[in-house]
Amino acid sequence: GALAQIAGTALLLAAMQARSFAVATALSKTEAVQVAVFGFAMLGDALTVPRALAVLVATAGVLMVAVQPGQTWDRQSLKPALLGVASGAFFALASVSFRGAILALPEGPYFLRATTALAWSLSIQVGVLGVWLAIANRAALLRSAVVWRQSLFAGFMSAFASQLWFLGFSLTAAANVRTLALVEVVFAQAVSRRLFGQTATPRELAGMALVMAGVAWLLIAA
């Protein structure tokens, strides 16, 4: 799961380099659909028709918000599109693997099992990325160590967010957690309007309505 998350992030960055940020992010959000399939295939998580439709509705809303009219989709767009979808696949595999790791732990409070799985995952990621940087880009590793104070808050918030992800994975199917997370699209629009004075277009409002409808449907179906 830890390695799959690294691969997903690398593919997402590659997609962003070849295509716009919004489109790459939207394509990676197909993760919600893929995690439902992986969860059913690997862990036997229930994939009922209402749940599957709720995931599809929410994902369609994300695509409506992020992919704007007039953007070209041709043969040149195939590579970044595949990178974005592959990124979503690895993120989905990571989410399902994290839930599988939590469920595989011996009996104990859900928060303790979630925290244990998170600690192991972060340790593996730090070790793998540290070794890779030491071999491929030692200068960047040294510079990162120099600015550790500036990155401390961002690192803590990232770890805290991961803790909440893992708590969610310990309580319900990964597909439920990742679909609920699509409400970040709505939050992002609200923050953009508050901080930057950006207003949503009718298409974006319709997409956000689809996201909220899909999430609400998922809650009822679950």
Side-chain angles (χ1 to χ4, degrees), residues 80 103 116 119 175 217 219:
L103 296 178
T116 301
W217 190 354
L219 290 173

Side-chain angles (χ1 to χ4, degrees), residues 155-206:
F156 170 77
M157 293 305 294
S158 178
F160 181 66
S162 297
Q163 174 73 85
L164 298 179
W165 281 120
F166 276 65
L167 289 174
F169 292 147
S170 69
L171 294 172
T172 186
N176 293 342
V177 179
R178 298 306 292 177
T179 302
L180 285 172
L182 294 180
V183 297
E184 71 180 284
V185 175
V186 180
F187 293 151
Q189 288 290 340
V191 171
S192 295
R193 182 171 184 176
R194 178 76 175 179
L195 296 181
F196 307 115
Q198 298 174 342
T199 57
T201 65
R203 177 189 175 91
E204 290 170 338
L205 291 174

Side-chain angles (χ1 to χ4, degrees), residues 101-113:
I102 293 170
L103 296 178
L105 291 175
E107 287 295 326
Y110 74 93
F111 56 85
L112 183 58
R113 289 184 286 121

